[in-house]
Amino acid sequence: MRVPLFLVLASLVGVGVGLAVPGWADLALLAGLCAIASAFLLGAALLRVEPRAAVAPGWVIVDGSNVMYWKGDTPQIEPVRRVLEHLAALGFSPGIVFDANAGYLLAGRYLDHAAFAEALGLAEDRVMVVNKGTPADATILAVARDLGARVVSNDRFRDRLDQHPEAGRPGTLIRGGFVDGALWLALDDAARQPLKAQAGSAP
């Protein structure tokens, strides 16, 4: 557990230096990505979860900018919230990544990780909004690789398979959607089974 803690602290120092020193913005971005990944590792160590376990890995990364279109043709926060709730109810530890413009699409203004965390009921270290001009797909797959995590998205990431061949392996990507208001997630290769709605969830 000492190594993940050290990585978190070192990454945060890198973010601070990158923001404080003119011309070092790239360091802040890189250190920020490292901070997210190391925070996941620290959480796994605290929970005694093995991030790279081959069977039933606990971590799942949600492609927020994809899932927000799962109910209809307009972006909504509700499908994102329901997917996160279902994953947590099934014992997964979900994290989520959004494109920089997600807040504008959902709320007409920029929303950072703290605003999304509050809206979704997640800890801030489980949410990441990538910087403008930074592809969220690359960040999603990089974090998933670091954690040995699966990814919830209907994107096939075909343009990223050269760098992330694991995205093409069966079981890595979890597809989903809503049928007659009911959420389904393809959590295995056998079938797409609707998940039982949680108490208090909208039908």
Side-chain angles (χ1 to χ4, degrees):
M1 188 168 66
R2 293 179 181 177
V3 173
L5 179 59
F6 172 79
L7 290 174
V8 170
L9 295 176
S11 299
L12 292 176
V13 170
V15 171
V17 172
L19 293 175
V21 178
W24 284 29
D26 289 344
L27 174 62
L29 173 61
L30 180 61
L33 294 175
C34 292
I36 294 291
S38 54
F40 279 117
L41 292 173
L42 178 60
L46 291 172
L47 295 173
R48 297 184 181 274
V49 173
E50 179 58 48
R52 294 188 179 274
V55 179
W59 293 104
V60 175
I61 305 302
V62 176
D63 181 352
S65 294
N66 182 273
V67 173
M68 68 187 191
Y69 282 97
W70 279 13
K71 288 189 75 175
D73 297 326
T74 57
Q76 303 173 56
I77 196 67
E78 183 212 353
V80 180
R81 187 181 294 116
R82 289 184 60 184
V83 166
L84 291 168
E85 289 172 351
H86 281 300
L87 289 170
L90 291 171
F92 291 99
S93 298
I96 190 163
V97 178
F98 287 99
D99 285 307
N101 69 341
Y104 291 102
L105 295 172
L106 290 166
R109 61 186 178 87
Y110 177 76
L111 297 178
D112 62 11
H113 70 284
F116 271 116
E118 182 177 359
L120 296 170
L122 289 178
E124 290 186 19
D125 62 2
R126 298 286 187 92
V127 182
M128 182 175 187
V129 180
V130 301
N131 290 334
K132 183 179 180 180
T134 301
D137 289 357
T139 301
I140 290 167
L141 295 177
V143 172
R145 173 187 283 175
D146 288 344
L147 298 176
R150 301 169 78 180
V151 174
V152 174
S153 179
N154 286 338
D155 192 336
R156 300 289 86 188
F157 301 102
R158 291 187 177 92
D159 58 340
R160 302 282 175 181
L161 292 180
D162 287 345
Q163 296 80 23
H164 294 277
E166 69 277 5
R169 295 174 191 153
T172 298
L173 301 181
I174 302 172
R175 301 191 68 194
F178 288 81
V179 178
D180 296 329
L183 171 65
W184 62 265
L185 291 176
L187 290 169
D188 55 48
D189 298 331
R192 301 171 181 175
Q193 294 295 334
L195 298 175
K196 184 176 180 181
Q198 287 182 277
S201 295

